[in-house]
Amino acid sequence: MPTFTTSDGTEIHYTDWGTGKPVVLSHGWPLSSDAWAVESKLLADAGYRAIAHDRRGHGRSTNTDRGHDMDTYARDLAELIEHLDLTDLVVIGHSTGGGEVVRYAAQHGKGRVRKVVTAGAVPPIMVQSETNPEGTPIEAFDGIRAGVLADRSQFYKDLAVPFYGFNREGAAVSQGLIDDFQRQGMLAGLAAAYECVKVFSETDFTDDLEALEVPILLAHGSDDQIVPIAAAAEKSIALVSEGTLKVYEGAPHGIAGEYQKALIADILAFIED
């Protein structure tokens, strides 16, 4: 089980599968690198080196209550990439991880990153404000924090339902996916899970998106109930200089089923030289 220790002493767990040009994947809240297991295997099978890490406080990384801000998350990623001496790489991020890779690419990745992919990502900014009326009201994030504190095990089970769109008419509900969402969520430390809510909801990535100098694929489900597309990818595409917006009709926030198959195919097509 490979690990890397950051400059502030935090141990970061990661998987490293395959050979070839590197692809680094960042997961969403409150999950771990396990969320990218299928994509990592298929990328490795396609001739890439797929690396996915557990964010600090999540998964098998150090259960720390320190450093839960986007600058630190991006710095951790930068230090891991430097440690592995990765160049000519693609960074891929889902949800919170989408914000992480955008900030990394904009602030640390010049000369290393060749392409960026986000899926259901939180940029430019999630929380509602006078300048972001399409955003999600702060009360929704307060509710997430309250749920995490009160009974996070049950909260994660409940959250998995809209996460995967299982509350939509005709949805094929997978109890396995619900259980695995809960399992991964419970691996996250309580402090990390709680503090990361502010990070993913209130961080403004506008400057990072505008600073990107490489192509970016912005993938998003039209029925994303967690990170609604109107305040996310539809705004991000207007801020980047070389972006492609791919909308998956009816797809939820969670990457699974036919949506997962389509996304993997689009990622492979986009990152191919």
Side-chain angles (χ1 to χ4, degrees):
M1 183 166 63
T3 60
F4 161 74
T5 303
T6 68
S7 56
D8 72 352
T10 301
E11 192 172 78
I12 301 295
H13 163 87
Y14 63 96
T15 59
D16 189 348
W17 297 349
T19 59
K21 288 188 176 181
V23 179
V24 177
L25 303 104
S26 294
H27 62 82
W29 176 94
L31 305 175
S32 70
S33 58
D34 288 355
W36 284 120
V38 172
E39 289 81 2
S40 293
K41 182 187 185 306
L42 294 178
L43 283 163
D45 290 348
Y48 294 95
R49 180 182 178 188
I51 298 155
H53 69 295
D54 292 354
R55 188 170 298 115
R56 64 169 54 215
H58 296 68
R60 290 140 293 200
S61 293
T62 301
N63 184 2
T64 179
D65 64 346
R66 295 180 294 133
H68 293 292
D69 59 84
M70 192 53 69
D71 286 340
T72 302
Y73 292 165
R75 188 192 68 206
D76 288 348
L77 183 58
E79 291 184 2
L80 173 61
I81 288 169
E82 290 165 9
H83 170 72
L84 296 174
D85 194 24
L86 304 179
T87 57
D88 199 23
L89 76 149
V90 174
V91 288
I92 302 175
H94 174 244
S95 198
T96 303
E100 183 177 280
V101 299
V102 163
R103 178 147 297 183
Y104 164 74
Q107 299 191 12
H108 303 277
K110 190 172 183 179
R112 289 186 183 268
V113 174
R114 65 183 179 92
K115 288 182 180 178
V116 179
V117 179
T118 66
V122 297
I125 184 168
M126 279 195 75
V127 72
Q128 187 180 74
S129 66
E130 289 185 3
T131 57
N132 188 39
E134 300 87 358
T136 302
I138 188 68
E139 290 80 10
F141 303 114
D142 291 340
I144 293 173
R145 282 183 277 260
V148 167
L149 283 179
D151 182 355
R152 70 187 193 278
S153 181
Q154 185 60 51
F155 179 76
Y156 293 147
K157 277 196 171 185
D158 294 341
L159 181 62
V161 174
F163 187 94
Y164 289 109
F166 293 154
N167 56 343
R168 296 310 197 203
E169 185 177 354
V173 177
S174 168
Q175 188 61 46
L177 279 175
I178 293 172
D179 292 346
D180 193 50
F181 186 94
Q182 181 205 34
R183 176 190 69 84
Q184 290 186 56
M186 290 304 291
L187 288 174
L190 178 58
Y194 186 92
E195 298 300 335
C196 190
V197 177
K198 181 179 179 67
V199 180
F200 72 65
S201 63
E202 298 184 38
T203 303
D204 189 341
F205 297 94
T206 300
D207 291 345
D208 303 300
L209 291 164
E210 292 178 337
L212 284 181
E213 298 177 349
V214 295
I216 179 170
L217 172 64
L218 300 157
H220 217 109
S222 69
D223 193 32
D224 190 326
Q225 300 171 67
I226 308 300
V227 182
I229 190 172
E234 288 182 355
K235 285 193 167 185
S236 292
I237 191 64
L239 296 170
V240 295
S241 60
E242 196 174 345
T244 300
L245 175 61
K246 176 70 177 182
V247 180
Y248 299 83
E249 203 58 42
H253 188 64
I255 304 170
E258 293 304 312
Y259 171 35
Q260 185 177 47
K261 293 176 185 177
L263 178 62
I264 291 170
D266 288 338
I267 288 173
L268 288 171
F270 179 73
I271 68 177
E272 185 179 17
D273 288 331

